[in-house]
């Protein structure tokens, strides 16, 4: 079995996530991701807004084009729901769900502020898509931010792979690249069975 790793576009020291350790059989692969597959939409709650700057910079450094309301000027020029729907309806866009304690409160409560209502709207849309896909996850990427635990993840999303920020940066990038971490070895030559009567 082979393991795929991501070579970060920034320097990493041995103590940092994604750093250190040497692979005995390293396999390098160049991934050419089409432009339309580089778009990612981020849904979050206000308690992670400060961390979004570092997170978005990380995604941009990896070649992705994150859409998030705190950076997009078109949000101010058009209806916020129309802006969100352009990303939610585009099946080529992966949706990063930034999990935090406030996220859980926003999606399970009534939404105390305007941003919380938008978060709940997005949550309802992605949950409906998940149900329509017969509970198979094709586009949702739940990411636990430092203040969150697995109990903050909505119950319906707990059956999918959950990433931790910033510990799981390599696995997260591989998911966004639509690549598997482990590659099974190819099967050898076909075997011929000889059957002899006793």
């Amino acid at each position: 079995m082979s393991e795929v790793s991501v070579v970060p576009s920034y320097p990493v020291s041995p103590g940092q996530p994604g750093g250190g350790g040497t692979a005995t059989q390293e396999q390098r692969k160049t991934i050419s991701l089409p432009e339309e597959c580089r778009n990612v939409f981020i849904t979050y709650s206000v308690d992670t807004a400060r961390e979004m700057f570092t997170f978005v910079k990380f995604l941009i450094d990896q070649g992705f084009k994150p859409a998030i309301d705190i950076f997009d000027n078109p949000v101010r020029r058009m209806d916020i729901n129309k802006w969100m729907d352009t990303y939610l309806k585009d099946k080529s866009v992966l949706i990063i769900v930034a999990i935090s304690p406030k996220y859980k409160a926003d999606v399970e409560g009534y939404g105390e502020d305007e941003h919380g209502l938008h978060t709940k709207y997005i949550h309802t849309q992605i949950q409906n898509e998940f149900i329509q896909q017969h509970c198979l996850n094709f586009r949702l990427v739940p990411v636990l931010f430092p203040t969150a635990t697995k109990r903050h993840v909505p119950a319906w999303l707990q059956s999918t792979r959950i990433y931790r920020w910033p510990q799981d940066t390599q696995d997260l990038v591989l998911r966004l690249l639509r690549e598997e971490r482990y590659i099974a070895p190819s099967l050898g030559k076909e075997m011929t069975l000889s059957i002899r009567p006793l």
Side-chain angles (χ1 to χ4, degrees):
M1 183 170 285
S2 299
E3 180 178 354
V4 176
S5 64
V6 176
V7 179
S9 59
Y10 54 90
V12 179
S13 61
Q16 288 181 306
T22 55
T24 53
Q25 275 191 315
E26 188 174 286
Q27 183 179 23
R28 293 188 178 249
K29 180 178 180 182
T30 302
I31 300 167
S32 179
L33 201 61
E35 281 300 311
E36 63 273 7
C37 293
R38 294 178 183 274
N39 295 321
V40 292
F41 179 76
I42 303 171
T43 177
Y44 68 102
S45 288
V46 292
D47 60 341
T48 56
R50 183 169 285 159
E51 283 125 6
M52 283 301 127
F53 293 99
T54 307
F55 185 65
V56 167
K57 182 184 180 325
F58 167 77
L59 293 174
I60 291 169
D61 289 347
Q62 302 307 313
F64 296 101
K65 296 188 279 187
I68 185 168
D69 62 356
I70 53 178
F71 295 123
D72 273 329
N73 284 334
V75 175
R76 295 179 188 92
R77 292 193 298 264
M78 69 196 244
D79 178 32
I80 185 85
N81 287 345
K82 188 182 281 187
W83 176 81
M84 290 186 292
D85 285 341
T86 59
Y87 292 101
L88 295 172
K89 290 178 180 174
D90 183 350
K91 303 300 182 196
S92 68
V93 175
L94 292 180
I95 300 169
I96 296 175
V97 183
I99 305 293
S100 66
K102 178 86 167 85
Y103 182 84
K104 183 176 175 75
D106 283 344
V107 300
E108 290 181 356
Y110 296 106
E112 298 173 11
D113 55 30
E114 189 175 355
H115 192 275
L117 290 172
H118 294 202
T119 302
K120 186 167 184 144
Y121 172 80
I122 296 166
H123 175 265
T124 302
Q125 298 301 315
I126 61 178
Q127 184 179 26
N128 287 340
E129 180 180 321
F130 184 77
I131 292 166
Q132 288 169 2
Q133 297 288 344
H134 306 287
C135 300
L136 296 174
N137 181 15
F138 297 107
R139 325 198 278 154
L140 306 176
V141 183
V143 178
L144 283 179
F145 275 75
T147 58
T149 63
K150 193 167 179 177
R151 68 183 173 87
H152 294 114
V153 179
W156 63 271
L157 201 50
Q158 288 189 9
S159 64
T160 194
R161 169 74 158 90
I162 299 167
Y163 302 87
R164 292 189 152 284
W165 170 257
Q167 295 90 331
D168 297 334
T169 54
Q170 285 219 352
D171 289 337
L172 178 59
V173 170
L174 286 170
R175 172 65 181 101
L176 296 177
L177 290 171
R178 296 150 173 94
E179 288 288 322
E180 294 293 330
R181 173 88 180 195
Y182 297 100
I183 300 170
S186 57
L187 297 175
K189 294 179 181 177
E190 291 182 21
M191 295 174 55
T192 305
L193 295 177
S194 299
I195 302 169
R196 287 181 293 168
L198 295 175

